[in-house]
Amino acid sequence: MTRRRALAGLVLAGTVRAQPAPGSGPTAAALWEAWPHTVAVSPFALKHEALRGHLAALAKRYPGLFTIAEEGVSAEGRNIPLLVVGGGPVTVLLWSQMHGDEPTATSALLDVLEHLGTTRKTSDTERLLSRLTLAIIPMLNPDGAERTRRTNAHGIDVNRDALRLQTPEGRFLKSVRDRLKPSVGYNLHDHGPSLTAGKHGRQVAISLLSVPYDEAFTENDGRRTTMRLAVLVQRLLEPFAKDRVARYDMDYTARAFGDSMTRWGTPTLLIESGGLYGPDEASTLVRLNFVALLGTLHALADGSLAKVDAKAYDAIPLNTRDRLFDVLVRNARVVGGGGLPPCLADVGLNVASTRPLFTGPSPHGSQGGVLEVGDLTEFLGKTEIDLTGRLLVVAPPGGEEGWKRTLAGLAARGRVTAEGLLTLSESDLSSEAKAWLGGMPTLAPGYLGDFLVLQPSGVGRFRVERRISPVEP
């Protein structure tokens, strides 16, 4: 029986010949609690040598769990291991970090291996490893990962090299596919953190795509399988990332690897990690990938994927770009410098990333500063601040010390009371603006400085309520 026929039996009919009837794999909640958090550092800090160290440690802890079937070689000579786990009739190919600055799933794949090692005597994992053969390339572009940049050492986007095959990394991936002829592919990426699930939805944590193989977006059994996988990912993650799973609007790109894999006969699911604003963002995204990968692999192995309605794929909300700011200040009376009077405006700004070991240009390392000023009613903020009734003032240079010096100067001129209240009226602010701003430029997109929020406290008086900074604390 060929692997293609095995997939049809496993996924569409729910059984494989000479194997027991499908069972029920671990629940999403059980997988969430089982997450081993193998990689303690940020995914962006995991480089090639550290990856190899983790693989060596896994091989020592769990002898025989996986083999390194072969190794490709990057443009700069770094080895690219292909791991093989299990021995089932259906081969599944998973590859991560073909873009060097998209590392979330690499850490998640190490977690998957750790979990399979610790649970390989359980019935769920025994079934998975007996019905599936997992071919895993955890870091396809180690040269790009070393630089934390998208492209390889040549400066080529490996994911756009499926036709010309000018990169050694792309040639290796193509050779693996041609030799193993996997029945399903998982193309694992990261995208920017500013997408929303629908026009007015929440920040996207995970985006999905059942990758097309032609301009007509033809549906066949393979594409329906990846549609089911996408629907299942949404269901698995809903308890932990409610309304934060979206799908890409379809686009066919012949030179892209995902599209080419599907065209070559390996229907491919694209999984991209986005953002989940908060202190544990990176580790939570790794954990979501862990649940999505293991949950869908178990469904492939136990036949339960056949019960998922492929038509529900179209109900997953489309992700929407460039509608989300890190901080969105609404309804402020903005004093933006240049001696201009206050005006009602919203201000959208991003916070400069202080992600450890992040270097090089990338959409995943945001530069802080103001992006837009004006009516931002149609936009969303990861953090939103309503300043109705307050003034938003471009702060003096020098951070908090500069602010204190400016207040002291205003106090010396009789503009600050003993209680710390500014005795500036809105009309005064126009004439006082240049002194207050200390020579700062007029507020506009690109402004990188701080803001002060002034709370009215009586007629013609304001109290400095807080400072807003486009730099992470």
Side-chain angles (χ1 to χ4, degrees), residues 242-299:
K242 183 174 175 56
D243 301 327
R244 294 180 182 273
V245 177
R247 63 183 169 91
Y248 276 106
D249 198 1
M250 279 195 295
D251 182 26
Y252 174 69
T253 306
R255 65 192 179 113
F257 258 99
D259 307 59
S260 296
M261 286 280 189
T262 304
R263 187 178 65 249
W264 295 331
T266 298
T268 296
L269 174 69
L270 172 69
I271 301 179
E272 298 221 20
S273 302
L276 198 64
Y277 192 63
D280 297 322
E281 179 179 49
S283 60
T284 303
L285 291 170
V286 173
R287 195 173 189 177
L288 291 172
N289 273 264
F290 170 80
V291 173
L293 293 173
L294 268 176
T296 53
L297 290 172
H298 277 293

Side-chain angles (χ1 to χ4, degrees), residues 60 82 94 99 115 121 155 163 168 170 179 206 212 216 236 297 305 324 339 352 364 377 398 401 403 405 437 441 447:
K60 185 176 181 180
L82 166 68
L94 306 95
H99 292 147
H115 179 77
K121 298 301 184 182
L163 297 182
R179 181 169 63 83
I206 299 290
L236 288 165
L297 290 172
L305 186 66
L324 186 65
H364 311 297
T377 306
E401 290 304 313
W403 161 24
R405 286 194 300 271
L437 295 173
Y447 172 70

Side-chain angles (χ1 to χ4, degrees), residues 426-445:
E426 288 198 20
S427 59
D428 287 333
L429 279 168
S430 296
S431 59
E432 291 281 350
K434 290 184 180 179
W436 169 264
L437 295 173
M440 289 295 289
T442 302
L443 173 64

Side-chain angles (χ1 to χ4, degrees), residues 453-470:
V453 177
L454 306 186
Q455 168 71 51
S457 184
V459 178
R461 293 187 175 188
F462 300 87
R463 183 186 299 278
V464 177
E465 181 179 274
R466 64 182 295 187
R467 187 176 53 157
I468 298 174
S469 174

